[in-house]
Amino acid sequence: MMPFAPTWTKGCASLRRARWMSVLSCVTYLQGDFEDPKTYERLRDQLERVEQARPTRGNRLFYIATPPAAFAPIGCQLGRTGLMREENGAWRRVIIEKPFGTDLASARALNHKLLDVLDEHQIYRIDHYLGKETVQNILVLRFANGLFEPIWNRDHIDHVQITVAESQTVGQRGRFYDTTGALRDMVPNHLFQLLSLVAMEPPARFEGSAVRAEKAELLEAAQVQNTADALRNSVRAQYQAGYIANNKVEDYRKTADIDPASVTETYVALKLMIDNWRWAGVPFYLRTGKALRSQLTEVAINFKQAPFAMFRDTPIDRLARNFLVLGIQPDECISLRFNAKVPGPSVTITGVGMTFDYEDYFEAARSTGYETLIYDCMIGDATLFQRADGIEAGWRIVQPFIDAWRNAGAKELAAYKAGSEGPEEAEHLLVRDGRRWRAIRG
Ligand code: BG6
């Protein structure tokens, strides 16, 4: 029996005690060394007892919530002990959570080891971003509306900005974070999920293998940059002391478990190009960072300017840019920025906005992502999980940045104040292309 009981705080207020007790009565606890084959034999015996007592039909879902170094050894032991063998109509699945490797070589090695003992269809690589309703809605917005798809290409789109800004600091996760950094922690997984959903081709069916194949294909089409381009098209930075919402934040290097001479980035901005028919010439700017001014996750699609010629003889000197913004968090919304005439006798134009807010429209409570994904795994729907080819395609794009930064050491590391919108260098990444980031305002 698990040696704990829930505390009946506000968060679990809606969890009825009786229901919880019935869940608790199904829980057993087994302790063991994950490298010891005997642990898995005991686990097998225990599962067999559970399967006799409960109508599980022999189905098993293993959620490997361990440090990544243990994924392969545990996966191998599960495979070897026969715990993953699918027989008599029962399914056997394993969930693992990022990071899936720390670079291209280690991601390949991990896939290789897992696929030695498990079938791809048994492995569910979870990325909690894919459980967010608004992330899933990107596909519905694009493919269930005749409105957007005809203009979703290089003829009409000037560029795309993907922002995952966090106001939280590294906090207590120093040991993990200092060896990981913003690029590895966020880009090949969460940001690339957003990128692939926004930019992929329409899949033939809304079904696991078709969707995952298109996502992987999109990442395959991203340009793999050489070292000089990787340096030119990236900014990495570390936060220094500052204030976030009036709270003092100390320098990253003074945080617990952080090397005082650390060159780990807490912010990254990248410019990527996709070499396919739809996106040739359209830059995708990605940025993510910690200790920023506010939390903001959004995908902003900037449409090309209307020809200005018609307004040449009017007092109008510029038109606001047309943006379609998919807000992921904190606000779950879709908004459109366009130009409108200011009422009055003269022709004056201003940028205005129209917003659809999920909360206003649907009453469903916001999900954390995990419940959707775990449910999907139980019903065998892998649409929202990552496949080995997609993982490797992501690391292939990121690897040149890792290599270029390793060689550059501290030289290319910029700084930004905690509570700011990031380093100035990130502004230059767009300004040199005649563009600007959208403001980070949660
Ligand atoms: C995790 C990262 O995967 O995602 C964290 O390891 C990050 O560093 C988190 O804070 C962000 O997730 P969310 O859902 O809060 O945007």
Side-chain angles (χ1 to χ4, degrees):
M1 186 72 65
M2 291 279 273
F4 72 89
T7 37
W8 301 99
T9 55
K10 218 168 142 211
C12 347
S14 61
L15 193 63
R16 294 217 313 273
R17 195 177 169 82
R19 176 107 9 128
W20 171 247
M21 293 317 284
S22 102
V23 171
L24 200 58
S25 73
C26 305
V27 177
T28 54
Y29 180 71
L30 179 81
Q31 197 175 23
D33 177 346
F34 72 81
E35 283 181 327
D36 180 0
K38 289 207 178 71
T39 302
Y40 299 84
E41 284 160 23
R42 284 165 50 226
L43 179 60
R44 188 187 50 209
D45 296 346
Q46 181 121 338
L47 283 172
E48 279 168 7
R49 279 196 295 276
V50 169
E51 283 158 9
Q52 304 245 312
R54 310 236 166 223
T56 65
R57 297 190 210 140
N59 297 327
R60 295 175 190 165
L61 166 53
F62 298 94
Y63 194 122
I64 309 186
T66 63
F71 293 166
I74 293 176
C76 292
Q77 295 279 9
L78 289 174
R80 269 188 215 120
T81 330
L83 279 160
M84 296 300 296
R85 200 174 309 123
E86 298 189 309
E87 49 199 3
N88 306 325
W91 50 256
R92 307 279 151 92
R93 298 175 189 144
V94 125
I95 294 184
I96 54 172
E97 192 157 0
K98 74 154 194 81
F100 309 118
T102 52
D103 58 11
L104 179 57
S106 58
R108 277 187 180 142
L110 175 63
N111 281 336
H112 193 75
K113 280 186 195 149
L114 290 174
L115 290 169
D116 246 7
V117 285
L118 307 172
D119 278 339
E120 178 63 47
H121 80 268
Q122 296 180 291
I123 309 172
Y124 285 69
R125 299 175 190 80
I126 209 167
D127 182 322
H128 75 279
Y129 260 60
L130 285 175
K132 293 181 195 280
E133 288 288 345
T134 29
V135 173
Q136 292 171 42
N137 196 47
I138 296 174
L139 285 186
V140 176
L141 178 88
R142 285 189 57 195
F143 302 129
N145 296 296
L147 183 62
F148 299 111
E149 205 44 29
I151 54 168
W152 213 262
N153 55 50
R154 64 193 300 270
D155 296 334
H156 300 277
I157 292 179
D158 177 76
H159 73 280
V160 177
Q161 299 184 12
I162 301 181
T163 300
V164 180
E166 295 184 272
S167 53
Q168 68 183 33
T169 63
V170 169
Q172 308 298 315
R173 300 169 72 218
R175 191 160 304 140
F176 158 78
Y177 199 85
D178 206 36
T179 54
T180 305
L183 178 75
R184 289 181 166 100
D185 188 33
M186 300 293 286
V187 176
N189 33 69
H190 306 328
L191 276 89
F192 280 2
Q193 289 305 324
L194 298 175
L195 170 69
S196 44
L197 292 174
V198 166
M200 67 193 252
E201 292 302 312
R205 293 170 304 284
F206 193 68
E207 168 272 324
S209 58
V211 172
R212 299 198 299 174
E214 290 302 343
K215 282 169 59 186
E217 183 82 5
L218 183 278
L219 294 176
E220 290 285 350
Q223 266 178 25
V224 175
Q225 311 197 14
N226 62 31
T227 308
D229 286 345
L231 282 180
R232 208 177 108 71
N233 291 326
S234 68
V235 172
R236 62 177 178 141
Q238 200 178 68
Y239 67 80
Q240 296 180 334
Y243 286 86
I244 303 176
N246 293 330
N247 297 317
K248 188 162 173 28
V249 171
E250 63 182 356
D251 210 279
Y252 172 73
R253 290 182 184 172
K254 292 196 179 138
T255 312
D257 298 324
I258 304 288
D259 176 355
S262 170
V263 291
T264 299
E265 78 288 352
T266 59
Y267 177 101
V268 56
L270 305 176
K271 175 182 172 183
L272 300 178
M273 303 300 289
I274 312 279
D275 276 343
N276 66 13
W277 194 257
R278 184 189 288 264
W279 295 117
V282 179
F284 285 76
Y285 300 101
L286 279 59
R287 62 178 164 168
T288 182
K290 296 223 179 270
L292 293 169
R293 182 171 158 185
S294 26
Q295 184 202 24
L296 178 73
T297 301
E298 66 170 33
V299 178
I301 293 125
N302 180 231
F303 290 90
K304 290 194 166 155
Q305 295 276 83
F308 190 74
M310 184 180 149
F311 302 102
R312 203 173 289 130
D313 300 326
T314 71
I316 298 160
D317 58 0
R318 64 183 183 89
L319 297 173
R321 310 201 70 132
N322 293 155
F323 269 106
L324 175 69
V325 181
L326 316 179
I328 313 287
Q329 54 192 25
D331 298 326
E332 300 187 322
C333 59
I334 296 171
S335 55
L336 191 60
R337 300 280 313 163
F338 54 94
N339 286 294
K341 181 180 171 300
V342 179
S346 63
V347 185
T348 315
I349 292 181
T350 188
V352 294
M354 213 162 66
T355 299
F356 158 77
D357 193 312
Y358 280 80
E359 232 165 53
D360 292 347
Y361 208 86
F362 300 111
E363 279 170 9
R366 210 179 268 208
S367 75
T368 63
Y370 282 98
E371 60 267 46
T372 312
L373 294 170
I374 293 171
Y375 176 76
D376 280 1
C377 176
M378 291 196 287
I379 60 169
D381 182 351
T383 311
L384 299 176
F385 292 83
Q386 300 186 71
R387 218 166 52 181
D389 54 349
I391 302 278
E392 290 179 24
W395 281 111
R396 209 170 295 126
I397 305 168
V398 154
Q399 189 65 49
F401 298 103
I402 296 177
D403 295 339
W405 294 353
R406 190 189 315 107
N407 297 338
K411 218 169 65 209
E412 297 289 335
L413 183 70
Y416 62 102
K417 261 204 174 125
S420 69
E421 294 198 19
E424 253 176 48
E425 289 79 349
E427 289 300 327
H428 299 158
L429 192 67
L430 269 72
V431 168
R432 73 173 194 217
D433 294 346
R435 303 183 174 104
R436 294 189 68 94
W437 288 111
R438 282 169 46 82
I440 295 180
R441 278 189 218 107

